[in-house]
Amino acid sequence: MRRVDERDTMFARANYQKGSNAYEDYYMKNPDKKSIDDSIRSRPNLCEEGSMTYNELNSAIPQASFQFLGDIIHLCEGKVNPEKTVCSKKVITKRIKGLAKKYGAKLVGITKLQDYHFYTHRGRHEEDYGEKVNCNHKHAIVFACEMDKDMINRGPMISEVIETSKCYVDTAIVGMMLSYYIRNLGYDARNHMDSNYLLMPALVAKDAGLGEIGRNTILTTKEYGSRVRLGVVSTDLELEIDEPISFGLEDFCRLCKNCAFTCPSQSLSNETEKISDDKLNWIINQETCYIKWRYIGTDCGMCIASCPFSQEMESIKNIGTFNNNEKLIGEVLGEFRKKYGKRPFVPGNPDWLR
């Protein structure tokens, strides 16, 4: 799998300000992206006045969350206790997973870090733009915090981004506690949190057995669907690792397509065929997706809410796997559409699903 350059992600590109070194360098190398990125930057940012969902009181809530996250970025790395605490892999793995759940994580997994987990270069912030990503940590602890179903179902209205930003805070706190704890034991650890990732959490989470990557291109768990936010702590501490899982999401998504059909910007593929190397052609058009975000003023969340796995359906909970079982998938989709299919889309209505 090819590594990704963070400079090419939409979140990084949206930050490049005219006249900055990052702006000049990036668009000298990528002139084809300059026009659309300049257009995006001319729009109100998320939760800002001028966007469709702006509310003077409520929009300040996610703004406060992201401001707080920015203020604690410098705590992601820190001094390591020079005296190591010797412990067995089994004991410390259990302790770390228990600690993550104590501080709010719903799912926790551990995997060996692979080259493809990491970005090639940093790009999110001017101060470290273009730096090569080098991390010698061997293991990653990845955890998921659940987002409230009713809040997410109100997407793309302001309630949705209040919830997503709140869960970015939740994962940041879990990651801070784990990284501080591990460093106190005498081992290096780094908290990878919102706007300060060296790696891609969804790929790490997939390899650690938290879930699979769905048609909406983000991690989908059996328990909560896509209704989670992820955090990662990388470390040189030796830990027991978990294995990837499969509950038949590929087969399910191939038939479902609900996220693609409900995407307001039509940014998700509704194709079913595979492309070269037997890889799925489920992709996202990050430009059209992000333009819609800036227009609405939230991070939308409609692909998350429209996923049957996100809606706590008992018929899904009771099924071990959907692998090679179109009949079973059809029954679940029939139940899902019977419940939500005839209800019209009304912004802010948690029962908008269709």
Side-chain angles (χ1 to χ4, degrees), residues 152-153 155-156 160 164 229 293 298-306 352:
I152 294 301
N153 283 357
E160 183 271 345
T164 58
R229 279 292 176 260
W293 285 21
T298 73
D299 48 4
C300 183
M302 290 174 70
C303 66
I304 296 174
S306 64
W352 67 266

Side-chain angles (χ1 to χ4, degrees), residues 18 23 27 30-39 41:
K18 287 186 177 181
Y23 184 96
Y27 296 112
N30 301 276
D32 58 308
K33 295 183 173 69
K34 183 175 181 297
S35 178
I36 191 168
D37 289 0
D38 283 344
S39 173
R41 280 185 291 268

Side-chain angles (χ1 to χ4, degrees), residues 2 89 107 113 117 120 176 191 196 201-202 226 248 254 284 306:
R2 225 174 72 186
K89 286 200 296 185
L107 304 171
L113 283 165
H117 289 148
T120 58
M176 287 298 184
N191 181 22
N196 194 31
S226 306
R254 186 182 289 112
I284 183 171
S306 64

Side-chain angles (χ1 to χ4, degrees), residues 174-349:
V174 174
M176 287 298 184
M177 290 305 303
L178 292 182
S179 56
Y180 270 68
Y181 173 60
I182 292 169
R183 291 196 295 265
N184 280 344
L185 295 178
Y187 303 88
D188 196 22
R190 185 189 195 277
N191 181 22
H192 301 261
M193 51 168 275
D194 178 62
S195 86
N196 194 31
Y197 303 108
L198 299 183
L199 42 69
M200 289 167 281
L203 296 183
V204 180
K206 176 181 178 293
D207 288 349
L210 267 63
E212 301 181 73
I213 306 295
R215 183 181 288 275
N216 59 5
T217 74
I218 57 181
L219 188 85
T220 299
T221 69
K222 180 79 181 316
E223 298 85 351
Y224 310 106
S226 306
R227 202 167 32 80
V228 294
R229 279 292 176 260
L230 300 171
V232 179
V233 170
S234 59
T235 180
D236 59 5
L237 175 64
E238 290 290 330
L239 297 164
E240 292 186 336
I241 65 170
D242 299 293
E243 296 299 323
I245 61 171
S246 174
F247 48 89
L249 186 66
E250 181 177 316
D251 288 344
F252 194 99
C253 289
R254 186 182 289 112
L255 293 179
C256 177
K257 304 183 182 181
N258 211 46
C259 59
F261 291 146
T262 57
C263 175
S265 60
Q266 296 296 289
S267 299
L268 298 174
S269 167
N270 62 13
E271 300 296 329
T272 57
E273 300 302 317
K274 292 192 175 184
I275 55 176
S276 60
D277 300 325
D278 203 39
K279 292 180 181 177
L280 287 163
N281 58 5
W282 298 344
I283 56 174
I284 183 171
N285 185 321
Q286 62 172 341
E287 288 87 1
T288 57
C289 175
Y290 192 66
I291 287 170
K292 183 62 70 172
W293 285 21
R294 296 288 282 254
Y295 167 73
I296 294 171
T298 73
D299 48 4
C300 183
M302 290 174 70
C303 66
I304 296 174
S306 64
C307 175
F309 284 90
S310 296
Q311 295 302 320
E312 299 179 348
M313 296 175 63
E314 289 299 323
S315 56
I316 287 180
K317 291 179 183 179
N318 297 329
I319 293 169
T321 180
F322 290 97
N323 278 327
N324 301 314
N325 200 328
E326 290 190 4
K327 182 176 182 294
L328 201 55
I329 295 170
E331 290 173 359
V332 170
L333 291 178
E335 178 189 339
F336 179 78
R337 286 163 184 162
K338 182 179 179 182
K339 182 176 181 181
Y340 296 111
K342 295 182 180 179
R343 300 186 183 186
F345 167 63
V346 179
N349 181 349

